[in-house]
Amino acid sequence: MTENVVKVLKANAWSVATCADVPNVVPVGFKDVTEEGLLVVGDVMMDTTVKNVLANGKIAVSAYDPKTSEGYQVKGTAVYQTEGPVVDAFREKAMAVFHGAMTVKGALVITPEKVIVTTPGPDNKKEL
């Protein structure tokens, strides 16, 4: 992933889409991009998303900067984890935000396979 893609992903909200028996798209708040280029999402209320990932591992993430319209779609595979450093970090973050009212049940760890430009203009739909 390019520096611009990581910048847009880190600074803006994501929509996460999955599909198995039931198509599903959700906004996510607990998310990050690791130094290795993996996308990680904390599971607070993602029941259908998790079921879909467990069914086939396929996922898409979309993010864009509303000020500039620069945007990207990341398609890849995801695994669901219920323990480990990624989950622990999201649990700490949820505790700070929700003060125990909600907890993180696990985390999606996403391996990008394709990055597609969604920015309006001549590069729209270009695969990076």
Side-chain angles (χ1 to χ4, degrees):
M1 278 191 292
T2 68
E3 187 176 315
N4 281 357
V5 173
V6 172
K7 179 180 163 189
V8 168
L9 287 168
K10 283 187 169 275
N12 297 282
W14 296 1
S15 293
V16 173
T18 58
C19 188
D21 291 334
V22 178
N24 192 57
V25 63
V26 294
V28 295
F30 291 116
K31 46 82 173 171
D32 200 5
V33 180
T34 70
E35 289 181 20
E36 299 81 21
L38 300 173
L39 282 60
V40 290
V41 179
D43 170 20
V44 178
M45 298 183 296
M46 297 192 319
D47 295 333
T48 303
T49 300
V50 171
K51 286 177 187 173
N52 287 350
V53 165
L54 292 175
N56 64 25
K58 296 180 182 180
I59 197 161
V61 174
S62 180
Y64 80 100
D65 182 334
K67 294 178 185 167
T68 65
S69 295
E70 180 180 7
Y72 302 95
Q73 181 183 121
V74 180
K75 294 183 181 187
T77 56
V79 294
Y80 187 69
Q81 299 180 352
T82 56
E83 56 185 41
V86 170
V87 177
D88 293 342
F90 282 125
R91 284 188 176 136
E92 288 177 24
K93 192 174 185 180
M95 182 59 74
V97 172
F98 298 123
H99 307 290
M102 293 182 165
T103 60
V104 168
K105 299 176 276 185
L108 294 173
V109 178
I110 302 162
T111 301
E113 294 171 355
K114 291 183 182 181
V115 178
I116 301 162
V117 176
T118 60
T119 308
D123 289 334
N124 184 267
K125 297 184 183 181
K126 176 181 177 183
E127 190 174 325
L128 302 179

